[in-house]
Amino acid sequence: MQRRDFIRASMAAPLAGRIAVSAQTPAASSSPEFRKAFLEKFPWTELCTTPEDAMLLRILIESRGAKRGVEVGANIGYGAINMGIAFERTGGHLSSLEIDPANVRTANKNLESVGLSKSVTVVEGDALKVIPTLPAGIDFVFIDAAKPQYMGYFQGLEPKLVRGATLVADNVIQSARQMADFLSYVQSSPNYDSVVIRASMHKNDGMLVAFKIA
Ligand SMILES: C[S@@+](CC[C@H](N)C(=O)[O-])C[C@H]1O[C@@H](n2cnc3c(N)ncnc32)[C@H](O)[C@@H]1O
């Protein structure tokens, strides 16, 4: 990114509405500096993944070289931007499922602002209905929508996962009871290595990270 583009992008900040950073050119919007500034100014709410958890997702995708990702629950795209950056680097693609049309519009706008519309597709609809329509060959999954439905999402996704897929599920400490069937299945299955980790103490919560062995 040219220095003058970045300065122009930063100066546009107060005029940009919901997101207080905007870029003037496609090249400027996909620069690492602009994306970093955009994420720092993101209208983050408690529904968004924490910055540390989002960074862990990004690192997991990059280190695995994942190519076909699915996020269940896009909200306004904070996690999707972080994961999209990783999928852009691996040459892969993320399908991010979201039930709320207003969230879908905002997520698309945010992804467009940082030049990630090609790396991430936001799919509008109930994930329980959308998942069966997705093609097989998925190698990365992030489940982060309705907590009692985690088992339903997983049951739809599991037959489409490649061996060696990485599965991440959010809020597995605070909402453990609501997803007890899902946690019990994955944690006791010989087909998965899994661990609950806390990349962030912000919500006093954690993520299940699982690796599909067979
Ligand atoms: C915790 S937020 C997701 C945060 C997002 N993953 C991130 O990293 O910023 C949960 C989202 O799941 C969506 N959701 C809830 N039930 C859903 C369903 N059945 N299908 C698709 N999305 C759903 C909600 O509308 C909400 O936006």
Side-chain angles (χ1 to χ4, degrees):
M1 178 183 193
Q2 299 272 333
R3 187 173 150 70
R4 71 165 182 280
D5 284 338
F6 186 61
I7 291 169
R8 209 186 289 148
S10 309
M11 286 174 68
L15 304 173
R18 282 191 81 163
I19 301 285
V21 184
S22 75
Q24 305 296 306
T25 67
S29 67
S30 50
S31 76
E33 295 90 342
F34 179 75
R35 287 174 175 172
K36 188 165 182 285
F38 190 90
L39 286 170
E40 282 168 3
K41 300 266 181 186
F42 198 88
W44 194 90
T45 72
E46 289 293 318
L47 278 176
C48 301
T49 301
T50 66
E52 295 81 6
D53 287 345
M55 181 54 77
L56 178 67
L57 295 170
R58 200 199 283 193
I59 291 168
L60 287 171
I61 293 161
E62 289 165 345
S63 55
R64 194 205 173 282
K67 292 276 174 21
R68 291 272 321 280
V70 175
E71 176 184 38
V72 185
N75 193 243
I76 58 170
Y78 183 77
I81 290 175
N82 278 278
M83 288 185 274
I85 290 169
F87 278 108
E88 185 183 65
R89 288 184 186 143
T90 66
H93 180 266
L94 177 72
S95 296
S96 184
L97 319 184
E98 174 55 49
I99 200 167
D100 180 329
N103 284 344
V104 171
R105 283 194 294 278
T106 308
N108 273 326
K109 218 170 134 196
N110 288 335
L111 286 157
E112 201 180 322
S113 298
V114 290
L116 284 171
S117 300
K118 282 193 188 140
S119 299
V120 183
T121 302
V122 184
V123 183
E124 183 177 322
D126 181 345
L128 291 173
K129 293 186 181 144
V130 175
I131 288 168
T133 70
L134 298 175
I138 296 165
D139 57 12
F140 186 88
V141 168
F142 178 46
I143 300 181
D144 190 21
K147 308 310 159 191
Q149 293 181 355
Y150 273 32
M151 189 62 175
Y153 307 141
F154 176 73
Q155 282 172 330
L157 288 163
E158 194 182 22
K160 299 169 192 271
L161 299 183
V162 299
R163 190 190 301 173
T166 304
L167 167 76
V168 184
D170 205 3
N171 310 116
V172 301
I173 296 175
Q174 293 294 337
S175 305
R177 274 211 214 147
Q178 294 178 63
M179 56 178 82
D181 49 356
F182 164 75
L183 290 175
S184 159
Y185 179 88
V186 176
Q187 290 176 324
S188 64
S189 168
N191 296 335
Y192 292 90
D193 278 342
S194 70
V195 67
V196 172
I197 59 114
R198 290 177 185 223
S200 160
M201 290 304 288
H202 177 79
K203 297 180 187 172
N204 196 24
D205 212 333
M207 303 199 290
L208 176 81
V209 180
F211 177 78
K212 185 170 159 61
I213 306 160

